[in-house]
Amino acid sequence: MIWPFKTSTRKKIARIEVTGAIAGGTRKAVLKALKTVEEKKYPALLVRIDSPGGTIVDSQEIYTKLKQLSEKIKVVASFGNISASGGVYIAMGCPHIMANAGTITGSIGVILRGNNLERLLEKVGVSFKVIKSGPYKDILSFDRELLPEEQSILQALIDDSYGQFVSTVAAGRNLAVEKVKEFADGRIFTGQQALELGLVDRLGTEEEARQWAATLAGLDPDKAELDTIEDPKPFLKRLTSGDSQLQIMADNLGLTETLKWCEFEVSTSGQPLWLYR
């Protein structure tokens, strides 16, 4: 895309937010924003991460693009309240990482959950007839117990995904794989602990991360402004967003985030996840 107007992006720092559970929508929005950063030739990027993680491939694609972009411009990650599991993974695409001392991070590992409703279905008299092409086509079905051989298949899948995660962290943080495995057991830790482990480079606020990005890019840290890259809302939605009494009530009760989380849980049921639950 050719931008019709010259802008002063050469003296600004692009900013992208990664918030909430990482899934397809997050991936599309972040990749689109990263393309804009590249096209507008910003000299630096600040990635603000406040996420418990999410789906594996979506996290991998964001990480890959960040790593590619970091070869052209300066990229700094700033951890907010939580940057765990898949949030850590995408940060590995950023050569420079800053966390708050109290940030919840870590949870390096993989989780897969299925639901067994067999006894409940028996009580209400519901059963299923399954025709399948192979013995494992209905693996993790909710109407029966998981078989031992199925457990082995899924554990091998989880172990492979875990190995990919550990290797990426080791490469991104210049640590030995065995060193990463010492703390990559699913545990969480604070930003202070992450600094001691070598998972982050510095402790500080988002503002301090902005100043760091500016310095790395050769900009004046006191003057370099942030440009947050995000999709503009439709005009009508901008006029009405946040004004609805029902919306305000839902936000105050936490219903909006709860519904988003429920939607994520349903859509990712049976998927291996890089997610802190």
Side-chain angles (χ1 to χ4, degrees):
M1 180 183 296
I2 299 175
W3 298 95
F5 304 106
K6 290 184 178 180
T7 63
S8 56
T9 55
R10 278 298 190 179
K11 294 187 177 181
K12 289 186 177 183
I13 300 167
R15 177 181 181 274
I16 294 175
E17 287 187 359
V18 181
T19 58
I22 299 167
T26 306
R27 173 183 54 80
K28 291 177 184 177
V30 173
L31 292 184
K32 181 178 179 182
L34 290 173
K35 184 177 181 182
T36 298
V37 172
E38 193 169 9
E39 289 177 341
K40 287 194 171 185
K41 301 186 183 301
Y42 286 91
L45 168 65
L46 176 64
V47 184
R48 179 67 170 181
I49 304 173
D50 209 329
S51 169
T55 50
I56 291 177
V57 171
D58 293 309
S59 300
Q60 286 180 324
E61 292 199 7
I62 294 172
Y63 155 79
T64 299
K65 186 58 182 178
L66 278 171
K67 190 169 179 4
Q68 292 171 349
L69 187 60
S70 70
E71 296 172 358
K72 302 177 182 178
I73 67 173
K74 304 301 181 182
V75 181
V76 175
S78 167
F79 289 177
N81 289 304
I82 180 169
S83 180
S85 209
V88 171
Y89 192 94
I90 64 175
M92 293 303 104
C94 307
H96 313 285
I97 304 175
M98 181 177 283
N100 284 275
T103 294
I104 297 299
T105 186
S107 189
I108 298 171
V110 194
I111 186 170
L112 183 152
R113 297 199 310 179
N115 301 309
N116 184 5
L117 307 179
E118 185 176 7
R119 285 190 289 179
L120 174 62
L121 293 172
E122 286 176 355
K123 287 183 178 181
V124 296
V126 176
S127 63
F128 295 89
K129 300 299 181 185
V130 179
I131 310 299
K132 52 188 178 180
S133 58
Y136 307 121
K137 186 60 180 174
D138 62 341
I139 198 168
L140 271 184
S141 290
F142 63 83
D143 61 328
R144 65 176 179 82
E145 188 64 58
L146 192 68
L147 300 174
E149 54 267 35
E150 293 175 325
Q151 176 96 23
S152 297
I153 290 171
L154 294 177
Q155 187 62 58
L157 181 149
I158 293 298
D159 291 345
D160 186 74
S161 297
Y162 171 73
Q164 294 175 38
F165 201 155
V166 168
S167 295
T168 298
V169 173
R173 296 279 84 201
N174 196 26
L175 297 170
V177 168
E178 292 307 314
K179 181 65 177 178
V180 175
K181 285 183 177 180
E182 291 178 7
F183 59 81
D185 53 9
R187 78 181 76 174
I188 55 173
F189 25 80
T190 66
Q192 176 66 57
Q193 292 172 316
L195 178 65
E196 295 166 2
L197 292 169
L199 195 60
V200 305
D201 300 299
R202 297 184 182 182
L203 297 180
T205 64
E206 183 178 4
E207 169 58 17
E208 289 171 312
R210 180 199 66 78
Q211 294 174 355
W212 188 17
T215 301
L216 289 169
L219 303 176
D220 186 337
D222 295 323
K223 296 181 180 180
E225 298 178 359
L226 289 176
D227 264 358
T228 299
I229 312 298
E230 58 186 352
D231 284 335
K233 293 180 180 178
F235 179 70
L236 184 59
K237 193 169 184 179
R238 289 204 305 271
L239 290 177
T240 59
S241 63
D243 295 334
S244 165
Q245 288 300 316
L246 285 175
Q247 183 64 53
I248 293 172
M249 185 181 297
D251 291 342
N252 288 339
L253 292 173
L255 294 178
T256 302
E257 289 304 315
T258 300
L259 289 173
K260 287 180 181 177
W261 188 256
C262 288
E263 181 183 0
F264 177 81
E265 288 279 2
V266 171
S267 64
T268 59
S269 177
Q271 284 191 49
L273 300 172
W274 288 337
L275 181 70
Y276 168 58
R277 293 186 181 274

